[in-house]
Amino acid sequence: MVEYQTISVVVEKPIATVKLSRPDALNALNAKMAHELVVALDSLDADDSVRCVVLTGSDKVFCAGADVKEMAQLSAAEISMADHLRPVWERVWRFRKPIIAALSGYALGGGLELAMCCDIIVASEGTKLGQPEVNIGIIPGGGGTQRLTRAVGKYKAMEMILTGGMMSADEAKAHGLVNRVVPTGRYLEEATKLASEIASKAPLAVRSAKQAIAGSQERGLSEGIELERRLFYELFGSEDRKEGMSAFLEKRKPNFSGR
Ligand code: DAK
């Protein structure tokens, strides 16, 4: 059992909940938290009994961004050499199982970038989302200019990033950045419910579907369709495909094994 200082991990199979926990710094993402997240996600990705992950913070804040106190100490050469946060975006983005961000309070800067590396975003109704980097003389550096633009389109992304202003959860939902807005206090429950529903489906099919959809963000249409086709045929050899189809024909519930 790994002891973490900046996060906590609770596994209630088949769901794991990873919670950001630096309350004195509004869960700001520092090098330690980035490292711990990578270690925790490596282990959860390798654990076949975990089928879906919920990434959350506290009621007050999901994550207020990269740790400005830590960053302020670094020279230009040091920050580019250390590239200390890069592994975390990559790790969340490349996580093979579905990962749901459950937001409340603030999701700002690197915090919103972290949420946008997830697959589904559930937010409490009071959540504020934004990329406020221009307020402190930098730009988003964890994929925000690219992922936010793909999520909400060029014009809204320009407005958010160039003004550094915050968006409400309802506005984020209207722009396709958030899947569900729920009453305060229900975000974690709702995200966990969604995770349980996903975890009840055929695990290999879920994983391939995620890979194909995530692939659409990085490929052109023909190449994406080629990826989908390859994944479809690969999956056809799985035991779960046989079980799923047999169960349907026999009018019973499928019993998926993840093979
Ligand atoms: N970093 C460090 N500490 C933070 C913090 C942050 N991002 N946000 C808040 N805190 C700390 C505050 O300094 C304060 O600490 P004490 O003064 O008590 O010691 C404590 O948390 C409580 O904050 P406030 O007193 O400000 O609380 P309020 O409720 O009044 O305001 C707020 C909440 C979220 C509106 C406000 O704290 C705020 O605006 N925070 C900063 C938000 C922000 O600018 N975030 C973007 C950071 S820049 C990279 C890739 C990506 C990035 C960096 C590098 N590479 C490729 C290398 C990402 C950059 C960012 O995210």
Side-chain angles (χ1 to χ4, degrees), residues 193-253:
K193 224 165 82 188
L194 202 50
S196 302
E197 188 184 342
I198 293 169
S200 73
K201 309 297 177 188
L204 295 178
V206 164
R207 191 181 296 184
S208 297
K210 164 170 173 162
Q211 197 185 334
I213 297 166
S216 76
Q217 305 282 292
E218 294 175 314
R219 288 172 170 79
L221 182 60
S222 307
E223 214 192 325
I225 286 175
E226 206 40 60
L227 169 68
E228 181 192 83
R229 195 194 324 272
R230 180 170 63 73
L231 290 166
F232 182 94
Y233 290 130
E234 274 174 21
L235 209 52
F236 219 76
S238 69
E239 288 178 25
D240 283 348
R241 191 277 302 171
K242 292 186 195 105
E243 167 63 10
M245 290 189 180
S246 301
F248 173 78
L249 295 172
E250 291 160 18
K251 302 191 187 303
R252 60 174 173 83
K253 274 188 102 173

Side-chain angles (χ1 to χ4, degrees), residues 122-192:
V122 174
S124 259
E125 56 196 1
T127 308
K128 302 269 186 215
L129 305 91
Q131 297 283 171
E133 288 85 347
V134 289
N135 295 330
I136 57 169
I138 57 174
I139 64 169
T145 60
Q146 306 304 301
R147 290 197 181 94
L148 185 65
T149 307
R150 280 166 171 74
V152 302
K154 172 184 156 185
Y155 301 99
K156 195 65 200 174
M158 283 283 187
E159 184 188 328
M160 281 179 76
I161 292 174
L162 302 189
T163 66
M166 293 185 207
M167 192 190 241
S168 70
D170 281 335
E171 202 182 348
K173 183 165 181 283
H175 285 277
L177 179 57
V178 158
N179 295 73
R180 293 185 188 184
V181 179
V182 299
T184 307
R186 296 238 347 259
Y187 64 105
L188 191 51
E189 185 189 331
E190 191 69 19
T192 307

Side-chain angles (χ1 to χ4, degrees), residues 22-26 28-29 60-61 64-71 79-80 83-86 89 106 108-111 113 131-133 135-136 138-143 166:
R22 292 186 69 216
D24 296 343
L26 300 190
L29 186 61
K60 189 174 167 199
V61 61
D67 189 319
V68 180
K69 283 177 198 151
E70 184 178 71
M71 246 188 324
I79 197 160
S80 73
D83 212 4
H84 64 307
L85 300 179
R86 185 189 176 117
W89 327 118
Y106 296 101
L108 301 176
E113 290 173 312
Q131 297 283 171
E133 288 85 347
N135 295 330
I136 57 169
I138 57 174
I139 64 169
M166 293 185 207

Side-chain angles (χ1 to χ4, degrees), residues 41-63:
L41 292 173
D42 275 348
S43 142
L44 295 171
D45 220 359
D47 183 344
D48 283 343
S49 63
V50 171
R51 293 190 176 176
C52 199
V53 169
V54 176
L55 177 64
T56 194
S58 65
D59 293 355
K60 189 174 167 199
V61 61
F62 173 67
C63 173

